[in-house]
Amino acid sequence: QVRLVESGGGLAQAGGSLTLSCAASGSIFSINIMGWFRQAPGSQRELVATITSDGSTNYAASVKGRFTISRDNAKNTVYLQMNSLKPEDTAVYYCAANIRDSLIPWGSWGQGTQVTVSS
């Protein structure tokens, strides 16, 4: 099993920055992709960014150029650096892990952390 704990959410002004962290524990050797998702009120959960075990990254078009996903393998932690924040970035942000060879994509989730961007 994999346990994920997010931190770093909060309130920011438009144009500001926040950094989210996701600490993984447990069977971390089984993770092949880590991702950040977000869900705004009344909206479906959407994929924001992913990073593979070899460091390859991918971003949603809405955040490309503003957000950066990275990982510190020594700390078993994945980060989401969010710059040039916009009010539409307001959402609960979730960290997720995709487990290698699992039939269930994104089988492990964190509890979520609220990000609120004021205009």
Side-chain angles (χ1 to χ4, degrees):
Q1 281 190 336
V2 173
R3 182 169 181 254
L4 303 174
V5 179
E6 302 105 333
S7 60
L11 177 66
Q13 289 190 330
S17 299
L18 283 173
T19 301
L20 306 182
S21 300
C22 173
S25 61
S27 302
I28 56 175
F29 59 88
S30 64
I31 301 171
N32 61 353
I33 307 173
M34 293 290 295
W36 285 98
F37 291 74
R38 67 185 181 186
Q39 188 167 20
S43 299
Q44 288 189 331
R45 190 172 297 187
E46 63 172 345
L47 180 61
V48 175
T50 61
I51 186 166
T52 65
S53 54
D54 63 1
S56 298
T57 59
N58 205 359
Y59 297 91
S62 58
V63 307
K64 203 166 188 177
R66 300 188 298 120
F67 290 10
T68 302
I69 189 171
S70 62
R71 62 193 299 158
D72 184 333
N73 291 331
K75 296 182 178 179
N76 297 324
T77 300
V78 173
Y79 304 96
L80 186 67
Q81 174 68 42
M82 305 184 292
N83 298 327
S84 302
L85 284 163
K86 304 176 181 179
E88 51 263 45
D89 294 320
T90 295
V92 178
Y93 283 70
Y94 298 90
C95 176
N98 190 74
I99 307 302
R100 186 179 296 109
D101 298 327
S102 174
L103 296 177
I104 303 173
W106 304 108
S108 294
W109 293 84
Q111 80 285 358
T113 185
Q114 176 71 46
V115 171
T116 303
V117 183
S118 62
S119 56

